[in-house]
Amino acid sequence: MTGEPTQPSSDPWTRSSSPRQTSFWMLMGLSSFYFLLEFVPNLLDGYGYFIDELYYIACSKRLAWGYVDHPPVSMLILAGCRAVLGSSVAAIRFLPAVFGAATVFMTGWVARRLGAGLFGQGLAATAYMAAAVPMVMFGFYTMNALQMLIWAGLLYLLLELADGGNSGLWIWFGALAGVGLQNKHTLVLLAAGLAVGLLMTSARRLLLEPRLWVGAAIAFLILLPNLVWQVHNGWPSLEFYRNAALLKNLPASPWDVLVAQFLYMNPVGFAVWLPGLVFLLFFARAKSWRCLGWIFLTLLGILIVSGQSRPDRITGFYPVLFAAGGVFWEAVAIRPGAAWIRWALIVPLIVSGLALVPLGIPVLPPAQATRYAAWSGMVPQMERGPGKKSELPQWFADRFGWEELAREVAAIYQSLPEQERAGTVILAPSYGHAGALELFASQYG
């Protein structure tokens, strides 16, 4: 297989795609717009560092093969970013915006690989841009920003392999999976879904492909330094994940998990990704890619069984679902008298996406954002504790007060007698407080 769509056919489910160059520039335009949407607000005054960013900056100053709650790749990238661009809010959020733009591009490109023309590609990319969870995740420095792009890359390689692509792609799949595991351990969820997806479909033949296991070995070797670190330090990440499930993340019923997928990926987007899932699972045109539908069902099942309140855990899979939805709706829209479906999908997606922007991206001043959040009624609490519920969504609220904290602590420290300062120890209640005190130490003494 060459990776190119099939030749034109009278069957709408096998309709050929648009020229590569045309698709490329259309998707570049959409992804560039998304980059600006995510990045430009960081150049404006009003919102500071997010609590996790303060911790990650501290980690990037202490590079290691592992940390208690995450692997090292994103910290290494952040260290490089800080060396080149500095440590300002805008500087460290440049790359997440780039990752977001690249994921938008990949969503449309996957649709093209599945056979969609310009409308299907644009619909898929627009649906992803209008989803709330990606808006949040690409808006500040977090491991999730890179991880969602890695998922998109892995799933693209998988659909190539499932469609008879060169088995050498397993080598690249393994290398990218290894980097993903060194970025977030939760990539093992995709591995579990992949195993089920292959076993449940005709793609099980790939399990006999020697290069698949070579790719798995490469992924293991890339992850190995972190595993050695875990062993040497008594598996601290396992303890952290266990405690997070018990003490940090809010419990969620199966219904809550399903509703979260509907709400946080944009209710209008549901009309795109659900038909995409149906297309992958039941349509003859998608027989080669049936395993992808089973992977998503497995991931969703794991999320339901875990009873966790984190819909972002499987957000990385949605580029494929939106892409498949683009193929589905394009085939419907080309039928006689059905052209109106294009506008019936695109317009509500754009309107709903714009309505979600002030809730996912800091485009409004804090006071106006608070009023907008109250008016919308969408201020979810994702973690336990009274400090995690506020008038603003947590991903906005946790960007305030850090510099003021550092200034007040510095003032108290300076007020101490000189002989007491040398032996003074400052205890911080969280990694955010500690990171803020370290980051602003030079500014306030």
Side-chain angles (χ1 to χ4, degrees), residues 133-160:
V133 174
M135 282 186 199
V136 174
M137 293 302 176
F138 292 124
F140 56 90
Y141 196 89
T142 169
M143 295 169 288
N144 292 310
L146 175 59
Q147 200 71 352
M148 287 193 284
L149 178 57
I150 289 175
W151 275 60
L154 288 171
L155 292 168
Y156 181 83
L157 291 173
L158 182 58
L159 70 88
E160 286 279 4

PDB file of all heavy atoms in Angstrom, residues 133-160:
ATOM      1  N   VAL A 133     -11.915  19.819  25.596  1.00  0.00           N
ATOM      2  CA  VAL A 133     -10.734  19.276  26.275  1.00  0.00           C
ATOM      3  C   VAL A 133      -9.442  19.651  25.562  1.00  0.00           C
ATOM      4  O   VAL A 133      -8.487  20.116  26.208  1.00  0.00           O
ATOM      5  CB  VAL A 133     -10.853  17.747  26.456  1.00  0.00           C
ATOM      6  CG1 VAL A 133      -9.555  17.172  27.023  1.00  0.00           C
ATOM      7  CG2 VAL A 133     -12.011  17.409  27.394  1.00  0.00           C
ATOM      8  N   PRO A 134      -9.335  19.474  24.232  1.00  0.00           N
ATOM      9  CA  PRO A 134      -8.101  19.917  23.571  1.00  0.00           C
ATOM     10  C   PRO A 134      -7.831  21.406  23.746  1.00  0.00           C
ATOM     11  O   PRO A 134      -6.671  21.821  23.897  1.00  0.00           O
ATOM     12  CB  PRO A 134      -8.358  19.561  22.099  1.00  0.00           C
ATOM     13  CG  PRO A 134      -9.311  18.422  22.152  1.00  0.00           C
ATOM     14  CD  PRO A 134     -10.213  18.737  23.310  1.00  0.00           C
ATOM     15  N   MET A 135      -8.882  22.241  23.730  1.00  0.00           N
ATOM     16  CA  MET A 135      -8.668  23.681  23.950  1.00  0.00           C
ATOM     17  C   MET A 135      -7.910  23.921  25.247  1.00  0.00           C
ATOM     18  O   MET A 135      -6.980  24.736  25.310  1.00  0.00           O
ATOM     19  CB  MET A 135     -10.016  24.403  24.024  1.00  0.00           C
ATOM     20  CG  MET A 135     -10.692  24.667  22.720  1.00  0.00           C
ATOM     21  SD  MET A 135     -12.168  25.688  23.005  1.00  0.00           S
ATOM     22  CE  MET A 135     -13.072  25.397  21.490  1.00  0.00           C
ATOM     23  N   VAL A 136      -8.322  23.221  26.297  1.00  0.00           N
ATOM     24  CA  VAL A 136      -7.683  23.396  27.600  1.00  0.00           C
ATOM     25  C   VAL A 136      -6.268  22.839  27.587  1.00  0.00           C
ATOM     26  O   VAL A 136      -5.314  23.496  28.016  1.00  0.00           O
ATOM     27  CB  VAL A 136      -8.513  22.711  28.705  1.00  0.00           C
ATOM     28  CG1 VAL A 136      -7.776  22.775  30.051  1.00  0.00           C
ATOM     29  CG2 VAL A 136      -9.885  23.361  28.821  1.00  0.00           C
ATOM     30  N   MET A 137      -6.107  21.625  27.075  1.00  0.00           N
ATOM     31  CA  MET A 137      -4.832  20.923  27.166  1.00  0.00           C
ATOM     32  C   MET A 137      -3.720  21.569  26.345  1.00  0.00           C
ATOM     33  O   MET A 137      -2.543  21.449  26.687  1.00  0.00           O
ATOM     34  CB  MET A 137      -5.010  19.462  26.743  1.00  0.00           C
ATOM     35  CG  MET A 137      -5.863  18.662  27.695  1.00  0.00           C
ATOM     36  SD  MET A 137      -5.168  18.682  29.377  1.00  0.00           S
ATOM     37  CE  MET A 137      -6.440  17.785  30.257  1.00  0.00           C
ATOM     38  N   PHE A 138      -4.085  22.232  25.253  1.00  0.00           N
ATOM     39  CA  PHE A 138      -3.060  22.884  24.437  1.00  0.00           C
ATOM     40  C   PHE A 138      -2.827  24.329  24.860  1.00  0.00           C
ATOM     41  O   PHE A 138      -2.047  25.038  24.222  1.00  0.00           O
ATOM     42  CB  PHE A 138      -3.457  22.847  22.961  1.00  0.00           C
ATOM     43  CG  PHE A 138      -3.453  21.464  22.366  1.00  0.00           C
ATOM     44  CD1 PHE A 138      -4.591  20.946  21.766  1.00  0.00           C
ATOM     45  CD2 PHE A 138      -2.321  20.668  22.429  1.00  0.00           C
ATOM     46  CE1 PHE A 138      -4.609  19.678  21.214  1.00  0.00           C
ATOM     47  CE2 PHE A 138      -2.319  19.389  21.889  1.00  0.00           C
ATOM     48  CZ  PHE A 138      -3.464  18.887  21.282  1.00  0.00           C
ATOM     49  N   GLY A 139      -3.481  24.762  25.946  1.00  0.00           N
ATOM     50  CA  GLY A 139      -3.391  26.156  26.357  1.00  0.00           C
ATOM     51  C   GLY A 139      -2.332  26.450  27.387  1.00  0.00           C
ATOM     52  O   GLY A 139      -2.097  27.611  27.706  1.00  0.00           O
ATOM     53  N   PHE A 140      -1.676  25.431  27.929  1.00  0.00           N
ATOM     54  CA  PHE A 140      -0.570  25.645  28.871  1.00  0.00           C
ATOM     55  C   PHE A 140       0.370  24.456  28.789  1.00  0.00           C
ATOM     56  O   PHE A 140       0.030  23.432  28.175  1.00  0.00           O
ATOM     57  CB  PHE A 140      -1.081  25.851  30.304  1.00  0.00           C
ATOM     58  CG  PHE A 140      -1.946  24.731  30.832  1.00  0.00           C
ATOM     59  CD1 PHE A 140      -1.387  23.661  31.500  1.00  0.00           C
ATOM     60  CD2 PHE A 140      -3.321  24.766  30.677  1.00  0.00           C
ATOM     61  CE1 PHE A 140      -2.170  22.636  31.987  1.00  0.00           C
ATOM     62  CE2 PHE A 140      -4.122  23.750  31.166  1.00  0.00           C
ATOM     63  CZ  PHE A 140      -3.542  22.671  31.826  1.00  0.00           C
ATOM     64  N   TYR A 141       1.552  24.583  29.390  1.00  0.00           N
ATOM     65  CA  TYR A 141       2.536  23.508  29.252  1.00  0.00           C
ATOM     66  C   TYR A 141       2.131  22.329  30.117  1.00  0.00           C
ATOM     67  O   TYR A 141       2.034  22.427  31.337  1.00  0.00           O
ATOM     68  CB  TYR A 141       3.948  23.956  29.644  1.00  0.00           C
ATOM     69  CG  TYR A 141       4.981  22.976  29.128  1.00  0.00           C
ATOM     70  CD1 TYR A 141       5.523  23.144  27.863  1.00  0.00           C
ATOM     71  CD2 TYR A 141       5.363  21.858  29.873  1.00  0.00           C
ATOM     72  CE1 TYR A 141       6.435  22.237  27.354  1.00  0.00           C
ATOM     73  CE2 TYR A 141       6.267  20.940  29.365  1.00  0.00           C
ATOM     74  CZ  TYR A 141       6.802  21.136  28.103  1.00  0.00           C
ATOM     75  OH  TYR A 141       7.690  20.221  27.593  1.00  0.00           O
ATOM     76  N   THR A 142       1.895  21.208  29.456  1.00  0.00           N
ATOM     77  CA  THR A 142       1.492  19.995  30.126  1.00  0.00           C
ATOM     78  C   THR A 142       1.927  18.809  29.283  1.00  0.00           C
ATOM     79  O   THR A 142       2.064  18.922  28.055  1.00  0.00           O
ATOM     80  CB  THR A 142      -0.032  19.951  30.347  1.00  0.00           C
ATOM     81  OG1 THR A 142      -0.419  18.647  30.785  1.00  0.00           O
ATOM     82  CG2 THR A 142      -0.774  20.268  29.076  1.00  0.00           C
ATOM     83  N   MET A 143       2.148  17.692  29.918  1.00  0.00           N
ATOM     84  CA  MET A 143       2.518  16.480  29.186  1.00  0.00           C
ATOM     85  C   MET A 143       1.428  16.069  28.217  1.00  0.00           C
ATOM     86  O   MET A 143       1.700  15.441  27.188  1.00  0.00           O
ATOM     87  CB  MET A 143       2.790  15.344  30.177  1.00  0.00           C
ATOM     88  CG  MET A 143       3.991  15.567  31.074  1.00  0.00           C
ATOM     89  SD  MET A 143       4.071  14.356  32.409  1.00  0.00           S
ATOM     90  CE  MET A 143       2.720  14.899  33.457  1.00  0.00           C
ATOM     91  N   ASN A 144       0.182  16.411  28.525  1.00  0.00           N
ATOM     92  CA  ASN A 144      -0.941  16.006  27.680  1.00  0.00           C
ATOM     93  C   ASN A 144      -0.865  16.603  26.282  1.00  0.00           C
ATOM     94  O   ASN A 144      -1.340  16.003  25.313  1.00  0.00           O
ATOM     95  CB  ASN A 144      -2.262  16.407  28.337  1.00  0.00           C
ATOM     96  CG  ASN A 144      -2.537  15.618  29.593  1.00  0.00           C
ATOM     97  OD1 ASN A 144      -2.460  14.411  29.604  1.00  0.00           O
ATOM     98  ND2 ASN A 144      -2.852  16.317  30.677  1.00  0.00           N
ATOM     99  N   ALA A 145      -0.303  17.804  26.161  1.00  0.00           N
ATOM    100  CA  ALA A 145      -0.238  18.448  24.850  1.00  0.00           C
ATOM    101  C   ALA A 145       0.585  17.609  23.881  1.00  0.00           C
ATOM    102  O   ALA A 145       0.149  17.328  22.753  1.00  0.00           O
ATOM    103  CB  ALA A 145       0.355  19.851  24.992  1.00  0.00           C
ATOM    104  N   LEU A 146       1.772  17.196  24.300  1.00  0.00           N
ATOM    105  CA  LEU A 146       2.599  16.338  23.455  1.00  0.00           C
ATOM    106  C   LEU A 146       1.964  14.964  23.284  1.00  0.00           C
ATOM    107  O   LEU A 146       2.008  14.376  22.197  1.00  0.00           O
ATOM    108  CB  LEU A 146       3.996  16.204  24.056  1.00  0.00           C
ATOM    109  CG  LEU A 146       4.949  15.233  23.342  1.00  0.00           C
ATOM    110  CD1 LEU A 146       5.160  15.638  21.892  1.00  0.00           C
ATOM    111  CD2 LEU A 146       6.280  15.151  24.089  1.00  0.00           C
ATOM    112  N   GLN A 147       1.354  14.458  24.352  1.00  0.00           N
ATOM    113  CA  GLN A 147       0.816  13.105  24.299  1.00  0.00           C
ATOM    114  C   GLN A 147      -0.309  12.970  23.280  1.00  0.00           C
ATOM    115  O   GLN A 147      -0.421  11.949  22.598  1.00  0.00           O
ATOM    116  CB  GLN A 147       0.322  12.689  25.693  1.00  0.00           C
ATOM    117  CG  GLN A 147       0.190  11.185  25.873  1.00  0.00           C
ATOM    118  CD  GLN A 147       1.536  10.481  25.939  1.00  0.00           C
ATOM    119  OE1 GLN A 147       2.586  11.073  25.704  1.00  0.00           O
ATOM    120  NE2 GLN A 147       1.512   9.200  26.253  1.00  0.00           N
ATOM    121  N   MET A 148      -1.144  13.993  23.151  1.00  0.00           N
ATOM    122  CA  MET A 148      -2.235  13.907  22.184  1.00  0.00           C
ATOM    123  C   MET A 148      -1.709  13.873  20.752  1.00  0.00           C
ATOM    124  O   MET A 148      -2.263  13.190  19.888  1.00  0.00           O
ATOM    125  CB  MET A 148      -3.220  15.053  22.403  1.00  0.00           C
ATOM    126  CG  MET A 148      -4.059  14.864  23.667  1.00  0.00           C
ATOM    127  SD  MET A 148      -5.480  15.956  23.800  1.00  0.00           S
ATOM    128  CE  MET A 148      -4.670  17.482  24.263  1.00  0.00           C
ATOM    129  N   LEU A 149      -0.613  14.597  20.501  1.00  0.00           N
ATOM    130  CA  LEU A 149       0.002  14.539  19.175  1.00  0.00           C
ATOM    131  C   LEU A 149       0.623  13.168  18.940  1.00  0.00           C
ATOM    132  O   LEU A 149       0.536  12.614  17.834  1.00  0.00           O
ATOM    133  CB  LEU A 149       1.052  15.638  19.048  1.00  0.00           C
ATOM    134  CG  LEU A 149       1.826  15.683  17.728  1.00  0.00           C
ATOM    135  CD1 LEU A 149       0.878  15.834  16.538  1.00  0.00           C
ATOM    136  CD2 LEU A 149       2.854  16.813  17.751  1.00  0.00           C
ATOM    137  N   ILE A 150       1.237  12.600  19.973  1.00  0.00           N
ATOM    138  CA  ILE A 150       1.832  11.266  19.850  1.00  0.00           C
ATOM    139  C   ILE A 150       0.749  10.228  19.550  1.00  0.00           C
ATOM    140  O   ILE A 150       0.925   9.359  18.686  1.00  0.00           O
ATOM    141  CB  ILE A 150       2.605  10.902  21.129  1.00  0.00           C
ATOM    142  CG1 ILE A 150       3.889  11.742  21.221  1.00  0.00           C
ATOM    143  CG2 ILE A 150       2.947   9.414  21.170  1.00  0.00           C
ATOM    144  CD1 ILE A 150       4.663  11.562  22.502  1.00  0.00           C
ATOM    145  N   TRP A 151      -0.381  10.314  20.236  1.00  0.00           N
ATOM    146  CA  TRP A 151      -1.487   9.393  19.956  1.00  0.00           C
ATOM    147  C   TRP A 151      -1.922   9.507  18.493  1.00  0.00           C
ATOM    148  O   TRP A 151      -2.147   8.492  17.826  1.00  0.00           O
ATOM    149  CB  TRP A 151      -2.680   9.706  20.869  1.00  0.00           C
ATOM    150  CG  TRP A 151      -2.635   9.066  22.218  1.00  0.00           C
ATOM    151  CD1 TRP A 151      -1.673   9.238  23.166  1.00  0.00           C
ATOM    152  CD2 TRP A 151      -3.606   8.171  22.787  1.00  0.00           C
ATOM    153  NE1 TRP A 151      -1.986   8.519  24.300  1.00  0.00           N
ATOM    154  CE2 TRP A 151      -3.164   7.856  24.093  1.00  0.00           C
ATOM    155  CE3 TRP A 151      -4.802   7.633  22.331  1.00  0.00           C
ATOM    156  CZ2 TRP A 151      -3.884   7.010  24.937  1.00  0.00           C
ATOM    157  CZ3 TRP A 151      -5.521   6.797  23.172  1.00  0.00           C
ATOM    158  CH2 TRP A 151      -5.065   6.477  24.452  1.00  0.00           C
ATOM    159  N   ALA A 152      -2.053  10.732  18.009  1.00  0.00           N
ATOM    160  CA  ALA A 152      -2.475  10.923  16.616  1.00  0.00           C
ATOM    161  C   ALA A 152      -1.484  10.279  15.660  1.00  0.00           C
ATOM    162  O   ALA A 152      -1.872   9.628  14.680  1.00  0.00           O
ATOM    163  CB  ALA A 152      -2.621  12.417  16.316  1.00  0.00           C
ATOM    164  N   GLY A 153      -0.198  10.432  15.943  1.00  0.00           N
ATOM    165  CA  GLY A 153       0.822   9.818  15.099  1.00  0.00           C
ATOM    166  C   GLY A 153       0.775   8.305  15.142  1.00  0.00           C
ATOM    167  O   GLY A 153       0.880   7.630  14.111  1.00  0.00           O
ATOM    168  N   LEU A 154       0.616   7.742  16.327  1.00  0.00           N
ATOM    169  CA  LEU A 154       0.554   6.288  16.470  1.00  0.00           C
ATOM    170  C   LEU A 154      -0.666   5.705  15.754  1.00  0.00           C
ATOM    171  O   LEU A 154      -0.565   4.677  15.081  1.00  0.00           O
ATOM    172  CB  LEU A 154       0.506   5.912  17.959  1.00  0.00           C
ATOM    173  CG  LEU A 154       1.801   6.096  18.742  1.00  0.00           C
ATOM    174  CD1 LEU A 154       1.546   5.898  20.237  1.00  0.00           C
ATOM    175  CD2 LEU A 154       2.876   5.127  18.260  1.00  0.00           C
ATOM    176  N   LEU A 155      -1.799   6.368  15.880  1.00  0.00           N
ATOM    177  CA  LEU A 155      -3.013   5.858  15.254  1.00  0.00           C
ATOM    178  C   LEU A 155      -2.942   5.975  13.735  1.00  0.00           C
ATOM    179  O   LEU A 155      -3.487   5.128  13.017  1.00  0.00           O
ATOM    180  CB  LEU A 155      -4.230   6.595  15.806  1.00  0.00           C
ATOM    181  CG  LEU A 155      -4.518   6.294  17.295  1.00  0.00           C
ATOM    182  CD1 LEU A 155      -5.552   7.259  17.858  1.00  0.00           C
ATOM    183  CD2 LEU A 155      -4.977   4.851  17.474  1.00  0.00           C
ATOM    184  N   TYR A 156      -2.274   7.004  13.242  1.00  0.00           N
ATOM    185  CA  TYR A 156      -2.084   7.112  11.794  1.00  0.00           C
ATOM    186  C   TYR A 156      -1.235   5.942  11.290  1.00  0.00           C
ATOM    187  O   TYR A 156      -1.561   5.311  10.274  1.00  0.00           O
ATOM    188  CB  TYR A 156      -1.420   8.439  11.442  1.00  0.00           C
ATOM    189  CG  TYR A 156      -1.216   8.622   9.954  1.00  0.00           C
ATOM    190  CD1 TYR A 156      -2.246   9.096   9.153  1.00  0.00           C
ATOM    191  CD2 TYR A 156      -0.006   8.295   9.351  1.00  0.00           C
ATOM    192  CE1 TYR A 156      -2.072   9.254   7.782  1.00  0.00           C
ATOM    193  CE2 TYR A 156       0.180   8.438   7.978  1.00  0.00           C
ATOM    194  CZ  TYR A 156      -0.855   8.922   7.207  1.00  0.00           C
ATOM    195  OH  TYR A 156      -0.683   9.061   5.858  1.00  0.00           O
ATOM    196  N   LEU A 157      -0.158   5.652  11.999  1.00  0.00           N
ATOM    197  CA  LEU A 157       0.680   4.517  11.611  1.00  0.00           C
ATOM    198  C   LEU A 157      -0.098   3.211  11.687  1.00  0.00           C
ATOM    199  O   LEU A 157       0.045   2.335  10.824  1.00  0.00           O
ATOM    200  CB  LEU A 157       1.908   4.444  12.512  1.00  0.00           C
ATOM    201  CG  LEU A 157       2.946   5.561  12.359  1.00  0.00           C
ATOM    202  CD1 LEU A 157       4.023   5.444  13.437  1.00  0.00           C
ATOM    203  CD2 LEU A 157       3.575   5.515  10.974  1.00  0.00           C
ATOM    204  N   LEU A 158      -0.944   3.089  12.691  1.00  0.00           N
ATOM    205  CA  LEU A 158      -1.712   1.860  12.856  1.00  0.00           C
ATOM    206  C   LEU A 158      -2.702   1.653  11.719  1.00  0.00           C
ATOM    207  O   LEU A 158      -2.846   0.529  11.211  1.00  0.00           O
ATOM    208  CB  LEU A 158      -2.450   1.876  14.195  1.00  0.00           C
ATOM    209  CG  LEU A 158      -3.269   0.628  14.516  1.00  0.00           C
ATOM    210  CD1 LEU A 158      -2.387  -0.620  14.511  1.00  0.00           C
ATOM    211  CD2 LEU A 158      -3.973   0.778  15.854  1.00  0.00           C
ATOM    212  N   LEU A 159      -3.375   2.709  11.289  1.00  0.00           N
ATOM    213  CA  LEU A 159      -4.332   2.528  10.195  1.00  0.00           C
ATOM    214  C   LEU A 159      -3.603   2.193   8.893  1.00  0.00           C
ATOM    215  O   LEU A 159      -4.117   1.450   8.050  1.00  0.00           O
ATOM    216  CB  LEU A 159      -5.249   3.739  10.050  1.00  0.00           C
ATOM    217  CG  LEU A 159      -4.721   5.075   9.538  1.00  0.00           C
ATOM    218  CD1 LEU A 159      -4.788   5.136   8.015  1.00  0.00           C
ATOM    219  CD2 LEU A 159      -5.553   6.224  10.117  1.00  0.00           C
ATOM    220  N   GLU A 160      -2.368   2.710   8.721  1.00  0.00           N
ATOM    221  CA  GLU A 160      -1.563   2.325   7.563  1.00  0.00           C
ATOM    222  C   GLU A 160      -1.226   0.838   7.629  1.00  0.00           C
ATOM    223  O   GLU A 160      -1.369   0.107   6.645  1.00  0.00           O
ATOM    224  CB  GLU A 160      -0.275   3.152   7.531  1.00  0.00           C
ATOM    225  CG  GLU A 160      -0.451   4.591   7.105  1.00  0.00           C
ATOM    226  CD  GLU A 160      -0.533   4.733   5.593  1.00  0.00           C
ATOM    227  OE1 GLU A 160      -0.536   3.699   4.891  1.00  0.00           O
ATOM    228  OE2 GLU A 160      -0.595   5.869   5.111  1.00  0.00           O
TER     229      GLU A 160
END
